[in-house]
Amino acid sequence: MTDPGMKCTRCRQPARFRLPAHNAHFCDPCLDLFFKRQVQKAIKDYAMLRPGQEVLVAVSGGKDSLALWLTLEELGYRTAGVHLCLEMGEFSEASLQSCRQMAARLGRPLHEASLGQLTDGLSMQEIVWATRRQFCSVCGTFKRHFLNRLCLELGFDTVATGHHLDDEAGRLLGNLIHNHLDYLQAMWPVLESGGDAATGFARKVKPLCRLEGAEIRAFAQVHELPVAQGKCAGSKGATLLYYQKAMDQLEADMPGTKHNFYLEFLRQKAAPPPPPQLGGRCQICGAPTMSELCGVCRMLAQARQWREKRRARLAAEEAAAPTP
Ligand code: SF4
Ligand SMILES: [Zn+2]
Ligand SMILES: [Zn+2]
C-alpha cells in the first residue's frame, strides 16, 4: 500500500498510503480526513444516525470495529461498546483485552457478555459439533441474536457494526451466484427495527460500508489502534472468504470494482427494504421467529441433547473399562 517518494494527493506532503480504488495517495492526516468523510457520507446517504445520537457499537477487538468506535466517537456520537466474548481460547482473551483498552482510551463504557453465560455453558465448538453446521454460520447466528438482545436490554435504539465494503461486496457476490432473492432484497446498510422495544429487532447500521478492509487497516495504523493480534480459529473454510477472495482479485486487476459493484447495487434499488417481518415469538426466549423456536434456541436444544448423549457414552465407556 506504500511507495517511497509518494506525495499526498490532497496536501502534497509525503504520503504513506496508496488507495487504488480512489486513485489517491494520502499522508496520515489526509487519510484520517478521507476515512471520516466516507463514514459521514454513508451515515448521511442511508440516514443511519441523527447528529449526536446515542449508539451502541458492537466491538470484537478487530481493526474494523475499533476503527468504527473511534470514528463515531470523534464524529460526536454518544457511544458505548458491547463485546460478546466467544470464549474460544487465547484469541478471545486477546480480543476482550483490546476492547477494554479501546474503552479506556475513549473513556466510554464497554458492556461485556460471554457466550457461556448465555448458552448454559455450551461452547461454540460443542454447538458446531452438535449441529454439524459451518463454524461461522453458527457463530454469526449467535452473535446476531445476543447482540440484538443486549442492545434492547441496554436500552439503545441502534447498534452499529464494523461490516465494511469487502464484507458487503463478498456477500452480494455470493447471493447473486446462488440467486438468493430474499437475501438480495434485504441487503441494505441499515436494518430498521421491528416489534416492541423489549423483544423485537434492534435497528442495525453499517457505517463502514463504503470502506475497504485495506483502508480500515491504514486508519488503524494511523491511530495505532489496540487491535487484537491473531486470527479466529473458526474462520477456516468460511464460504464468505471465497467470495471476498474473488472480489479481491477483481479489485487488484480493476481498482474500484468493489465500490461500483456494491454501491451501484444499492443505488439501483428503488427503496430500502421494508422493516423485518416479526412473525411469531420463540416459545423459549421470546425472540421474533417464523417457527415455534428461534434458530438459537433450536440449536441450543440440539446441543444439550448432544451433550447428554456424549456424557452418557463417556460414563458407559468408563464403567466398561477394565479396572487396573
Ligand atoms: S470468523 Fe467466524 S467463527 Fe470467528 S468470530 Fe467471525 S463469525 Fe465467529
Ligand atoms: Zn496529506
Ligand atoms: Zn429463542
Side-chain angles (χ1 to χ4, degrees):
M1 206 167 191
T2 59
D3 241 337
M6 269 187 328
K7 291 264 186 286
C8 175
T9 307
R10 194 173 159 271
C11 72
R12 309 310 299 164
Q13 293 299 306
R16 181 151 68 128
F17 304 105
R18 191 158 54 85
L19 275 60
H22 298 271
N23 196 17
H25 305 151
F26 287 132
C27 66
D28 288 20
C30 293
L31 186 281
D32 180 64
L33 190 71
F34 159 83
F35 193 94
K36 287 180 181 142
R37 282 188 177 161
Q38 292 294 322
V39 173
Q40 281 172 311
K41 181 158 174 49
I43 291 175
K44 184 165 171 267
D45 285 356
Y46 306 108
M48 291 184 182
L49 300 168
R50 298 181 305 277
Q53 184 184 334
E54 255 197 332
V55 55
L56 187 65
V57 186
V59 280
S60 66
K63 68 179 190 330
D64 311 326
S65 55
L66 297 189
L68 173 64
W69 197 0
L70 177 72
T71 305
L72 292 182
E73 186 60 30
E74 292 194 345
L75 290 178
Y77 296 96
R78 286 175 296 140
T79 66
V82 60
H83 177 71
L84 177 62
C85 178
L86 299 172
E87 299 173 322
M88 296 200 286
E90 275 177 25
F91 181 65
S92 295
E93 189 47 42
S95 303
L96 174 62
Q97 293 311 328
S98 293
C99 295
R100 286 181 179 164
Q101 280 179 42
M102 197 67 208
R105 176 164 152 186
L106 296 176
R108 301 302 303 160
L110 175 69
H111 302 280
E112 297 175 14
S114 58
L115 185 81
Q117 287 168 346
L118 302 163
T119 60
D120 187 20
L122 282 158
S123 69
M124 195 65 83
Q125 181 63 75
E126 287 175 310
I127 302 166
V128 168
W129 278 331
T131 56
R132 296 167 185 241
R133 290 177 50 171
Q134 256 198 16
F135 215 105
C136 284
S137 144
V138 175
C139 180
T141 306
F142 275 75
K143 279 196 300 195
R144 275 192 300 279
H145 180 93
F146 289 122
L147 281 174
N148 187 64
R149 189 200 281 181
L150 289 165
C151 183
L152 297 175
E153 282 175 6
L154 292 165
F156 283 83
D157 101 333
T158 300
V159 60
T161 62
H163 293 102
H164 50 73
L165 184 59
D166 297 8
D167 297 322
E168 300 308 297
R171 195 163 292 128
L172 175 56
L173 181 63
N175 286 338
L176 285 170
I177 287 175
H178 296 288
N179 205 22
H180 285 152
L181 297 179
D182 289 0
Y183 292 159
L184 286 167
Q185 200 204 349
M187 280 193 82
W188 194 253
V190 178
L191 293 179
E192 290 301 340
S193 57
D196 60 67
T199 52
F201 291 114
R203 195 165 169 275
K204 298 177 190 77
V205 297
K206 300 175 181 174
L208 301 185
C209 67
R210 297 181 56 87
L211 287 151
E212 286 179 55
E215 294 159 359
I216 301 172
R217 204 166 301 118
F219 181 83
Q221 280 177 32
V222 168
H223 289 278
E224 297 179 353
L225 299 181
V227 176
Q229 298 306 311
K231 207 171 160 200
C232 174
S235 64
K236 216 169 138 215
T239 333
L240 181 61
L241 293 181
Y242 294 103
Y243 301 128
Q244 286 182 337
K245 229 161 130 182
M247 288 306 305
D248 284 344
Q249 185 60 55
L250 290 170
E251 183 71 35
D253 293 338
M254 295 178 288
T257 298
K258 289 179 197 171
H259 254 84
N260 287 342
F261 183 51
Y262 177 63
L263 296 174
E264 201 48 45
F265 165 77
L266 295 181
R267 246 191 306 274
Q268 299 212 357
K269 283 195 162 208
Q277 292 298 307
L278 274 185
R281 299 219 166 278
C282 172
Q283 290 184 359
I284 295 178
C285 72
T289 175
M290 293 298 180
S291 336
E292 260 176 47
L293 299 183
C294 71
V296 161
C297 289
R298 258 200 320 272
M299 282 195 263
L300 283 177
Q302 218 176 331
R304 281 192 198 99
Q305 262 184 16
W306 174 90
R307 181 168 64 182
E308 288 316 309
K309 276 192 197 153
R310 186 168 186 251
R311 280 181 183 156
R313 197 186 68 235
L314 291 175
E317 280 172 12
E318 206 179 305
T323 39

